[in-house]
Structures are given as C-alpha cells and as structure tokens.
Amino acid sequence: MKLFGRRSKERIDQVAGVIDDYELPSFPAVIAEALSRIGDPEVELAEVADLLTMDPGMTARLLRLANSPATGLRNPVHDLRQVVALLGRNQVESILISAGVRAALPSVASPVFDSSRFWRAAAQRAVVATAVSARLQPSQRSETFTAALLQDMALPVLVDHVEGYDRLLQRWYEGEIPDLAKAEADTFGWDHAAVAGRMAQAWAFPDALLEALTDHHDGFDTDVMVWLRLVAGWQEANPDLSREELLRNAGQIPQLASLDCEALLDDALEGVDEVASLIT
C-alpha cells in the first residue's frame, strides 16, 4: 500500500466496490515498463528513453508533450535522450502518466459524454493550474500539470460502468446542479475524486499525485497543491461559469493575493488549443 495521507486512504477505502469489478484498462506496455524502470533510481534515464523509442507513436506524443508549455523547456528538443536528460526523472514520470491515462481510458458510447469536450476542459484546468504553479512553486509545475489534467479521469469510467451516472452528469452539464462532487455524494455516497484515487492506486501512481487527485475537492485548508482546488470546479459545458467560480475560489487562497488572477487566467487560456491538441 502506498504511504499517502490518512484522509486520502480513508476516502479511497470508502469507494471500494464502486469500480473494483470494472476491468480497468492497463497502460500501453511500453509506458508501463518505462514507468517501472523510471521508478528505479539505479536505472539510467537514457535506458528509459531507448525503451520508449520502441513505440514510434508514443515517442511522437511524448516529444510533443515534452515541448509543450507545461514543461518549461526554453528550446524545442527532438531527441528522447535529450528530453529525459533535460526534464529529469519526476517530469518524465509525469509526462508518461499523462500519456498512459489518455491511452488507457475507455471510449465511452454515451450521448452524454463528449470525449473532445472532456479533454479540452482537462487542458483548460491544466494550463491554468500550471500557470499558477509556475508563479508560486515552479518546482511542482510538471506534477501540477498532470494532476490538473487528470482530476476528472474517473468520469468516463463512471459513465461506462455506474448505472444512472450519465443522467447525473447530464444535469451537471445543463447547470441544474452546481457542484458535481456534492451531487455524487448525495446520490451515490461517493464522488469522482475518490474514485480517481482508487484508479490511481490501482495504477500505482506516485503518492503526491494520488493524494492530489483524491482530495482536489476538499477546500483550501491544506497546502497540498492548493492551486489544484482552484480549478476543481471547472465546468466543461459552461466556460463562463467556470471562469466566475475560479476567480471566486482564488479569493480564498492567500498565496494568490499578490497576483492579477484575471490576467493570469486569460494568458494561460491562450495556450489551451496547443495543449488540447497534444492529448486528443
């Protein structure tokens, strides 16, 4: 068992059975093996890069992600060995996890769930949270990108697996319910954040990422990637409402008092199309 926070563990344990009978897809073999090796400090990063080149399609995706604004590289890099050397173990791990989740999540046959809209909203959360992280704690920039991108990764699984979940999601999209996590708790006794934690546990995510995914709706009273909670309520079907809620949330975060959050939000969202194109 990963040694993450006790509260996160308790929330994850509470959703035991929700998706435990669901055959959670595995990561592509190359990414799974690369993640296994990158977690071993005795394995050279060049060896991880050489492994990844065995999958040309994944290599291209990883290069595009590595050269995206999320990583902070100043100049484009076109060789995987250079990428892993420049980014380091933690950032490469974050990029691999992002690519692996995107490849592993199921294709959902539901009129309610729009995959393109879902991933664009994920990109919007990621670029905003990363922009804040870059100003306040640059060392967490890549981890913040991944955590914000994957906050709602349980939604396609829940639509695909839990009876009635698509109807609740539709009500959220239509603005009938303002808080998806609360509505989930009222209806099912759990929320998508805890289910995401369960998925992260099954996929053996790093502790910090697991905790960030599990607790991203838990208010602003802790220091664990607090800016992730800033984007937790992003409403993929209503960008204007999302903007209002984000700015309202910003007022609850003392670390943001010195920032012009409206300008930061506008600047960050200019990069959404580029990031969205990397993951769709």
Side-chain angles (χ1 to χ4, degrees):
M1 176 68 70
K2 292 274 189 177
L3 298 178
F4 47 90
R6 186 174 70 177
R7 175 171 171 75
S8 298
K9 181 182 184 303
E10 289 174 351
R11 296 194 67 228
I12 289 172
D13 288 346
Q14 287 173 356
V15 301
V18 176
I19 61 166
D20 286 4
D21 60 342
Y22 183 84
E23 189 173 347
L24 194 64
S26 300
F27 279 17
V30 169
I31 287 185
E33 179 62 23
L35 283 168
S36 174
R37 295 190 190 184
I38 208 168
D40 183 348
E42 295 185 2
V43 174
E44 297 290 335
L45 286 177
E47 179 183 328
V48 176
D50 291 344
L51 170 66
L52 291 169
T53 60
M54 296 172 60
D55 186 332
M58 192 57 64
T59 295
R61 180 180 291 273
L62 290 171
L63 285 171
R64 291 170 66 201
L65 279 169
N67 285 300
S68 75
T71 63
L73 291 180
R74 295 183 178 179
N75 299 303
V77 180
H78 304 291
D79 178 83
L80 270 183
R81 281 197 168 206
Q82 286 182 286
V83 166
V84 298
L86 288 169
L87 295 180
R89 204 171 290 270
N90 289 343
Q91 284 207 68
V92 172
E93 183 179 55
S94 291
I95 291 171
L96 288 173
I97 288 172
S98 298
V101 171
R102 179 64 184 92
L105 286 180
S107 298
V108 179
S110 168
V112 172
F113 185 83
D114 184 322
S115 179
S116 295
R117 186 178 65 182
F118 171 80
W119 285 109
R120 181 173 178 79
Q124 289 170 327
R125 287 195 307 272
V127 297
V128 173
T130 304
V132 176
S133 178
R135 298 286 295 274
L136 298 179
Q137 197 166 7
S139 65
Q140 285 190 339
R141 180 173 177 155
S142 182
E143 292 87 346
T144 298
F145 175 88
T146 301
L149 183 75
L150 302 182
Q151 276 185 357
D152 285 355
M153 69 177 186
L155 265 60
V157 170
L158 293 171
V159 169
D160 195 43
H161 182 61
V162 175
E163 184 177 356
Y165 188 82
D166 55 348
R167 293 190 293 275
L168 183 143
L169 193 63
Q170 182 65 47
R171 292 171 58 205
W172 182 56
Y173 287 156
E174 293 175 351
E176 184 181 337
I177 53 177
D179 187 328
L180 178 61
K182 184 179 184 303
E184 290 167 335
D186 291 343
T187 304
F188 300 108
W190 45 259
D191 63 37
H192 65 276
V195 176
R198 190 78 173 177
M199 293 167 64
Q201 186 184 68
W203 279 329
F205 282 7
D207 291 351
L209 177 56
L210 188 154
E211 188 167 357
L213 293 172
T214 305
D215 297 338
H216 70 266
H217 278 290
D218 283 1
F220 303 103
D221 56 350
T222 72
D223 294 328
V224 180
M225 289 188 181
V226 68
W227 35 90
L228 294 177
R229 297 178 177 89
L230 183 70
V231 297
W234 195 272
Q235 224 288 22
E236 65 181 74
N238 193 331
D240 291 337
L241 182 63
S242 297
R243 179 188 181 89
E244 292 174 10
E245 181 170 350
L246 187 148
L247 293 174
R248 185 167 56 251
N249 286 344
Q252 302 180 54
I253 304 176
Q255 297 98 311
L256 302 185
S258 63
L259 301 183
D260 182 345
C261 290
E262 288 204 50
L264 185 147
L265 176 59
D266 290 337
D267 290 345
L269 290 176
E270 288 182 2
V272 165
D273 288 340
E274 179 181 357
V275 174
S277 72
L278 301 176
I279 56 176
T280 54

